[in-house]
Amino acid sequence: MAWTRKILRVNLTDRTCTSEPLNMDWAHDYLGQRGLATKYLASEIDPKVDPLSPDNKIIWATGPLTGTMASTGGRYSVVTKGPLTGAIACSNSGGYFGAELKFAGWDMVIIEGRASSPVYLSIENDKVELRDASHLWGKTVWETEGQIKSEHQDPQVRVSCIGRTGENGVLYAAIVNDLHRAAGRSGVGAVAGSKNLKAIAVRGTLGVGNIANPKEFMKVTFEKKKILKENAVTGQGLPTYGTQVLMNVINEIGAMPTRNHKDVQFEGARKISAEAMHEPRESDGKAQLINNQACFGCTIACGRISKIDATHYTVVNSPKYWGASGGLEYEAAWALGCANGVDDLDALQYATMLCNEDGFDPISFGATIGAVMELYEMGVLTKEEIGIEAPFGSAKALTYLTEITARGEGFGKIIGLGSKRLCEKYGHPELSMSVKGQEFPAYDARAVQGMGLTYATSNRGACHLRSYTISSEVLGIPVKTDPLTTEGKPALVKAFQDATAVVDSTGLCVFTTFAWALSDIQPQLQAACEGDWSMEKLDLMGERIWNMERQFNNAAGFTRKDDDLPARLKTEAAKVGPAKGLVSGIDKMIPEYYDLRGWDPEGRPTAETVARLGL
Amino acid sequence: MQKSLHIDPLKCTSCLQCEMACSFENYGVFNNSLSRIKVFEFHHTGAKVPYTCTQCDEAWCMHACPVEAIKLDKTNGAKIVLEDVCVGCKVCTIACPFGTVNYVAETGKVQKCDLCGGDPACAEACPTGAITYVDANWTGLERMRQWADKLGNPSA
């Protein structure tokens, strides 16, 4: 079983909270989290709905392995129609909130409508109520969590909430739990804000007890944890260096998008790398990194806990930032650093803290600043308009722009629209490094060809987590493929997309797949959930989830032309490194990919594909 | 050989595998709120510290109990709560200087670590070695070794 078999449905317009049974037929076809929540969303809303209208819904969803001893079993997803893209949005977070929601007895929370004034949802096992949040409106994520814990007189309460950016409609606002874990991408926080929903606070003391075969589950999860421990990436690289282990690796292979993708290597990468986070600094002789932290149930523990240099210009007069806090992850370090040419490690730590504090996606934000800086250097944007001189490499500009975006002041309001709308507004749509309106993450599509196809076809707009072919193309997991060629990449991307769709629906973290194949997850599911969970079933399920998301996007109006990369990546060749002279071969890969997917030339699943997958 | 639980907070990542192992071993459910070992996170410093009963030789809880509901397991030194004898008076929770005997409202009894009969599930589940079950005479050995390393290998 492993599911609680209960859904909490909350209608904010009517202020009602009702319990309903989980559709177990759907659970067997879509598992949980990403798959199952998308199934519910797609069945309940019109794909053409305005994402920020009361007609959109937003779902917090756990998976069958959330809240169990399976390693990394603490994940939850937030699923909605995203305001940044207009496509399906599904953002995944760790920390402790997901397990707590499951312990309270709920597989999912479906939020509908819009409250007439700010509210938050309080869940204490079966005791569920909407409470007034007028006093929390205008507060940051950090203040909100502190305030709720204090009002509930319970330090154990877990909070998933939005900051000021979610309230202000920043189109890449996140939903943050446990202070610095985030359902970060696609603007899920703006949807919560549009509904006047500030937070979900949950305390669960019922636990997860309905494991189908407990003895077998303990045995198999123990064996699989051993594999994670013995693997070089999950056992050493990630715990020691975090995801930042990639900074120097990706830079060396010339796949580091730099200065809004004008360059593919960043000369300052070393100064903002994992290694730099370990080095003692001049001011106090201490390293920025304090230690590593796990999310619930995770035996990898890639999370960074850092302390900013208290003498740094950004915080010298702000003691509230001096304590330990969530540290730099690779994607944030790239977007805030390389994408803008900024190599000041503490400026990046400051910016990443503000992203956590006010809940916005550092990837989309940092990449948008990259576009701002390019427009500034072209003379399209001026100091008067922006509020500061903003050439590439200016840490002062980066931190100033982070502050005004967090607070929703002045030019920060324009930055909050994301790079696509910002670049269109100033007459240079070609400078937005995005797909479907969502900004690229930290791998250059010219130097890692599979990632180009990953970005172009990702159902939530540009994203590395939908098919992380870096594993194969750079790290050689499970087999090494040549990053510079397009050959074989459509099949590789499809295989990664389908497998990841399953992982994202289990309650486990995709980082396990550096060491585990889907066949390592299968026996854990089989022991936890009753019924048949064969590899065949899971393979088909991954494909089914992918095509369901695609159908939602098709119905929302997305077509072949939206599966494309910006002209820069197709016409401006990489200037240095192994990919020197190369552009993305995206146009070559798309038809083959559609063919493998069983889609027509317009990118729509054919009737035969739909029937085969039972959609 | 007497063994004891040994905790090295510097190795803890706050994954809570120990808490789940404890609740599963004792109640057959993954439920951190029922765990007899607790991990405390000190956000401002980044410290994470697992904490539970260290099985004092002269156990305050045992001596304070008016109905002799806490007894010594002579095979491993654990102080065990006899649930059917416990009257839920909570005097032991006051007597314990460390707070590691806790009242459970749902059962009306107290609970504490009983070393799982000599094979603690928390130590087995801990992925980083922050919780180990070691020869009681050598509880400080690992830290001694680290300092000896500093003394003997100053430049390493």
Side-chain angles (χ1 to χ4, degrees), chain A residues 319-341:
Chain A
K320 74 162 170 164
Y321 296 110
W322 294 354
S325 191
L328 283 167
E329 313 285 346
Y330 172 60
E331 296 296 334
W334 163 77
L336 302 167
C338 312
N340 308 312

Side-chain angles (χ1 to χ4, degrees), chain A residues 74-119:
Chain A
R75 311 295 300 188
Y76 75 98
S77 295
V78 179
V79 177
T80 186
K81 178 173 172 174
L84 185 66
T85 56
I88 189 82
C90 170
S91 295
N92 182 308
S93 183
Y96 304 93
F97 178 87
E100 196 76 21
L101 181 60
K102 191 88 174 277
F103 288 164
W106 304 100
D107 288 315
M108 275 192 214
V109 181
I110 300 179
I111 306 278
E112 311 173 339
R114 171 189 283 159
S116 54
S117 60
V119 293

